[in-house]
């Protein structure tokens, strides 16, 4: 349960979101990150961490949108690139899993998942370039 914070600033809400996420209280974390972003819509780490929580909940498309916003605000923020890559990969895997149960739509689902895996690889590469683990080619 999020404590009542009448005069809290964006960093207080961000910290509350981090604590809630660490404790596994994903819904409370989302509320806190939303409050932080309401007060500071350019808080890159709040966008990234909100995406992480959404991805944990299997809400991959929403998570990817959060990472895209973080990257838009700071294209050199490697964590957002890595987080986006993980969400793309997990989203792709969820489509492969769905294809196993839905033979009618399986080809479409598998093709979409392949595109997501390719995008994930590009995001991992970008994160590696930013963090110095890999040279730009």
């Amino acid at each position: 349960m999020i404590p009542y914070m009448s005069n809290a600033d964006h960093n207080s809400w961000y910290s509350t979101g981090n604590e809630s996420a660490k404790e596994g209280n994903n819904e409370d974390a989302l509320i806190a990150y939303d409050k932080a972003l309401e007060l500071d819509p350019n808080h890159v780490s709040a966008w990234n961490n909100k995406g992480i929580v959404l991805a944990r909940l299997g809400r991959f498309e929403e998570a990817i949108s959060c990472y895209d916003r973080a990257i838009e605000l700071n294209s050199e923020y490697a964590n957002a690139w890595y987080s986006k890559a993980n969400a793309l990969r997990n989203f792709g895997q969820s489509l492969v899993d769905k294809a196993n149960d839905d033979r009618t739509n399986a080809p479409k689902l598998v093709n979409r998942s392949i595109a997501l895996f390719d995008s994930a690889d590009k995001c991992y590469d970008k994160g590696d370039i930013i963090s110095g683990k890999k040279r730009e080619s």
Side-chain angles (χ1 to χ4, degrees):
M1 183 80 164
I2 294 179
Y4 176 72
M5 299 189 300
S6 63
N7 294 330
D9 66 1
H10 64 278
N11 286 318
S12 298
W13 283 109
Y14 173 70
S15 295
T16 299
N18 289 343
E19 285 302 312
S20 296
K22 195 183 311 178
E23 294 167 1
N25 298 326
N26 295 319
E27 294 301 330
D28 285 348
L30 287 177
I31 291 167
Y33 290 136
D34 282 340
K35 285 285 193 184
L37 291 166
E38 185 179 306
L39 295 168
D40 179 7
N42 297 322
H43 196 299
V44 176
S45 295
W47 281 112
N48 185 68
N49 291 6
K50 179 181 177 181
I52 291 169
V53 171
L54 288 166
R56 280 187 198 156
L57 295 171
R59 294 163 57 181
F60 301 114
E61 291 171 293
E62 291 173 81
I64 292 164
S65 293
C66 289
Y67 304 133
D68 285 341
R69 181 67 180 133
I71 290 165
E72 180 182 311
L73 292 168
N74 180 358
S75 63
E76 298 298 307
Y77 187 56
N79 286 348
W81 287 102
Y82 288 130
S83 296
K84 182 178 178 181
N86 289 331
L88 287 164
R89 185 163 295 286
N90 290 330
F91 187 25
Q93 185 58 53
S94 75
L95 294 179
V96 169
D97 295 343
K98 189 185 283 186
N100 286 326
D101 298 329
D102 183 356
R103 298 294 181 195
T104 304
N105 293 309
K108 191 183 311 179
L109 292 168
V110 169
N111 284 337
R112 184 158 182 222
S113 69
I114 290 168
L116 290 167
F117 292 141
D118 288 344
S119 293
D121 288 344
K122 289 176 182 151
C123 289
Y124 283 126
D125 288 344
K126 182 67 174 175
D128 284 348
I129 290 166
I130 292 167
S131 64
K133 294 179 185 174
K134 184 177 182 178
R135 291 188 188 272
E136 204 158 359
S137 49

